[in-house]
Amino acid sequence: MKKITKFFFFSLLILLSLNGCNSSNVNEDIFQFKDSYVGDNSAVRSIVRQLPLGEYFNGFELKTKEEPYGMILNYTNMDAEEIEKNYKETAIYNATFIFTLVKNAKWITFNFDDQEYKITKEDLERWYGKNLSEYTSEEDLTKLTKKYLEDESKVNQFLKK
């Protein structure tokens, strides 16, 4: 009987350990962070890690001392095959989600290995012709963003401002 109890206890312990190791933010709904604030560093970190190139995210600075509030996001160790077009699309896509989810974010600077882009909420909303805070689902926001990212000349024009 002791052997069975020990075996059962040991098996349960292994299952609990494996379950804990497998819990990740991959399946987390990014819109659970809707209405976060720039000063909430854990929310900002969670959002950025779930967005494209999140695996290359290497820290940030939250600028909350004076308005307009914003953030600097740093990405490093990018793959050699990552090209400038991907940086541009990632900056716009990620900024769209961050501005939608982080209530008081007004600007974001994206620092990639060799490229920097600064995007403001005002400019991005003007480009889309939409108020980003009205979006409530990842699916709708992704559709909007992908539609605008299809036109490379518009992307380049937007980021040259």
Side-chain angles (χ1 to χ4, degrees):
M1 185 72 172
K2 278 186 170 181
K3 277 187 172 182
I4 293 174
T5 305
K6 284 182 182 179
F7 176 75
F8 176 76
F9 179 73
F10 184 69
S11 298
L12 183 62
L13 185 62
I14 289 174
L15 285 173
L16 289 173
S17 296
L18 289 174
N19 189 35
C21 293
N22 286 334
S23 66
S24 69
N25 293 341
V26 173
N27 295 324
E28 207 170 32
D29 177 17
I30 197 165
F31 267 79
Q32 76 174 331
F33 299 106
K34 179 95 168 124
D35 295 329
S36 296
Y37 289 91
V38 172
D40 184 349
N41 62 6
S42 64
V44 171
R45 181 182 297 109
S46 294
I47 291 167
V48 175
R49 288 196 186 274
Q50 289 185 59
L51 293 171
L53 301 183
E55 67 272 21
Y56 300 108
F57 176 59
N58 189 35
F60 57 92
E61 294 176 51
L62 301 178
K63 301 297 186 175
T64 59
K65 296 257 189 254
E66 57 186 55
E67 292 189 42
Y69 300 133
M71 61 189 78
I72 300 170
L73 304 178
N74 301 305
Y75 296 81
T76 59
N77 300 321
M78 306 292 285
D79 289 340
E81 61 247 13
E82 292 292 340
I83 56 174
E84 186 178 347
K85 180 179 182 247
N86 287 344
Y87 294 159
K88 291 176 182 180
E89 290 180 359
T90 298
I92 292 172
Y93 186 92
N94 291 4
T96 302
F97 271 82
I98 293 167
F99 289 139
T100 301
L101 299 172
V102 181
K103 205 177 214 178
N104 62 340
K106 300 298 181 200
W107 60 269
I108 305 167
T109 298
F110 292 88
N111 288 323
F112 296 105
D113 285 330
D114 59 351
Q115 197 68 42
E116 180 180 290
Y117 300 103
K118 183 172 183 175
I119 299 176
T120 68
K121 184 175 185 177
E122 182 180 344
D123 288 344
L124 196 58
E125 286 182 331
R126 191 175 315 124
W127 189 59
Y128 287 131
K130 306 273 184 192
N131 180 345
L132 294 175
S133 61
E134 294 176 358
Y135 282 83
T136 58
S137 83
E138 183 175 356
E139 183 180 338
D140 291 342
L141 196 56
T142 299
K143 283 180 190 175
L144 169 75
T145 308
K146 287 189 176 191
K147 176 183 165 188
Y148 279 79
L149 291 177
E150 287 174 359
D151 189 340
E152 190 174 343
S153 66
K154 282 187 177 182
V155 168
N156 289 331
Q157 184 180 13
F158 173 73
L159 290 173
K160 283 189 179 184
K161 293 181 178 184

